[in-house]
Amino acid sequence: MTVTEARTSGLGAHSDLIVAENVAAGYRDKVVWKGANFTIGPGEFVAVIGPNGAGKTTLFRMLLGLQPTLNGSLKILGAEPKRGNTRIGYVPQRHTFDSDTNIESRELVRLGLTGGRWGVNPFSHRDRDAANKALEAVGGMDIAHRPLGVLSGGELQRIFLAEALVGNPDVLLLDEPLSNLDIRRETELLHLVNDVVRTRGVTALLIAHNINPLLPHLDKVMYIANGKVATGTPGQVLTSESLSDLYGIQVEVLRDPHGNVAIIGIEEHHGTGVRVFGV
């Protein structure tokens, strides 16, 4: 049995980990997007992209059970989303801690098992082994004993990823982990996430603004914009036809010789000129 088969053996005949049927998202006085139908399978690496305010983080909040759908059916791991699901690993957009903290990196990783009880219990052997394995998975053992406050942005993202992995989740939700990273650190982190997806059979959804660094790794793209959601392979979603339909205006998708994508014409819809996206 493969890693992916083992992870999906309890899902029954329908092995998709995330299933949305006519889902509407938003708040009582505002619909952010609606009519969404998509499936995400086991071991898939999915980029969630779109303009600010389109509802990308709202999707994560619903999957985490922090916010209900306005309409339709949304299931994750064969059930409706619920708070505190230990089978979901989550890296938030902003991970708040005091920059002067002396808490060691491994202690933060352990919190993924103990639920945030800082220093209440000493490390058990099981906790220690799990934290070490998660740190090893992200190449972070060399910084395990370093305080969080002295780590670089790239090192912090490794620790946050290890914290999300320590409970051996089936699904990873990563909210803009590439923000404020330089190109080298961005590339390193993406290789780490891709390695986790491929070797552990984990399904990863990663919110980003720039699609290009992710393209070599992706199985699917979820593009949220103009109150709608388009989901499919990069070749299906990142086309002039698909995005023109999504935005309701003419959009051109261009590719350079290296495969990078430029999406032109989106900002004309908002009256602010022409925007080149993702270059």
Side-chain angles (χ1 to χ4, degrees):
M1 180 180 290
T2 67
V3 173
T4 299
E5 288 170 341
R7 285 188 175 275
T8 59
S9 60
L11 291 176
H14 197 346
S15 62
D16 288 317
L17 267 66
I18 302 173
V19 180
E21 297 178 352
N22 196 34
V23 170
Y27 310 90
R28 286 185 299 176
D29 58 345
K30 181 182 180 181
V31 176
V32 180
W33 44 265
K34 61 182 179 180
N37 295 280
F38 57 82
T39 60
I40 305 297
E44 290 187 333
F45 192 169
V46 184
V48 182
I49 62 173
N52 289 332
K56 302 184 295 296
T57 298
T58 300
L59 170 67
F60 278 18
R61 286 181 55 79
M62 292 194 303
L63 292 173
L64 291 166
L66 302 176
Q67 182 174 330
T69 64
L70 294 181
N71 187 58
S73 170
L74 179 64
K75 292 189 176 181
I76 182 167
L77 299 162
E80 293 185 356
K82 63 179 181 179
R83 290 173 180 257
N85 191 336
T86 58
R87 295 176 66 188
I88 303 174
Y90 175 51
V91 177
Q93 189 176 48
R94 294 177 181 84
H95 214 305
T96 57
F97 64 89
D98 189 339
S99 61
D100 294 326
T101 183
N102 289 317
I103 297 297
E104 287 187 354
S105 299
R106 190 167 63 174
E107 175 70 5
L108 181 71
V109 174
R110 188 176 71 94
L111 292 181
L113 293 172
T114 62
R117 298 191 300 274
W118 291 90
V120 172
N121 298 308
F123 272 126
S124 69
H125 289 299
R126 180 185 300 176
D127 287 353
R128 189 184 303 275
D129 289 345
N132 286 341
K133 286 179 180 178
L135 285 164
E136 288 170 358
V138 302
M141 282 300 292
D142 60 329
I143 56 176
H145 296 292
R146 295 180 64 190
L148 295 177
V150 304
L151 300 184
S152 69
E155 289 170 337
L156 281 171
Q157 286 299 347
R158 283 176 180 262
I159 297 304
F160 299 155
L161 179 58
E163 181 191 11
L165 288 173
V166 71
N168 195 30
D170 296 291
V171 178
L172 272 178
L173 303 179
L174 310 171
D175 195 347
E176 296 196 36
L178 307 181
S179 296
N180 303 317
L181 297 184
D182 59 32
I183 293 176
R184 177 185 173 188
R185 302 303 181 193
E186 185 179 77
T187 300
E188 290 176 351
L189 185 64
L190 287 174
H191 278 291
L192 279 175
V193 175
N194 186 63
D195 184 62
V196 166
V197 170
R198 307 309 169 194
T199 61
R200 295 191 174 201
V202 175
T203 297
L205 278 68
L206 187 153
I207 294 176
H209 286 286
N210 185 357
I211 188 66
N212 286 315
L214 287 88
L215 284 175
H217 308 293
L218 295 177
D219 298 297
K220 285 181 179 175
V221 172
M222 184 179 297
Y223 202 127
I224 304 177
N226 198 33
K228 294 181 284 187
V229 179
T231 307
T233 66
Q236 291 170 331
V237 174
L238 301 176
T239 68
S240 298
E241 181 179 8
S242 174
L243 295 186
S244 293
D245 180 66
L246 185 69
Y247 278 96
I249 60 169
Q250 185 60 41
V251 174
E252 295 294 334
V253 177
L254 306 177
R255 286 177 170 80
D256 70 14
H258 303 288
N260 293 318
V261 172
I263 302 172
I264 301 174
I266 292 173
E267 291 301 318
E268 290 179 337
H269 183 56
H270 303 289
T272 56
V274 177
R275 179 189 181 197
V276 179
F277 175 83
V279 177

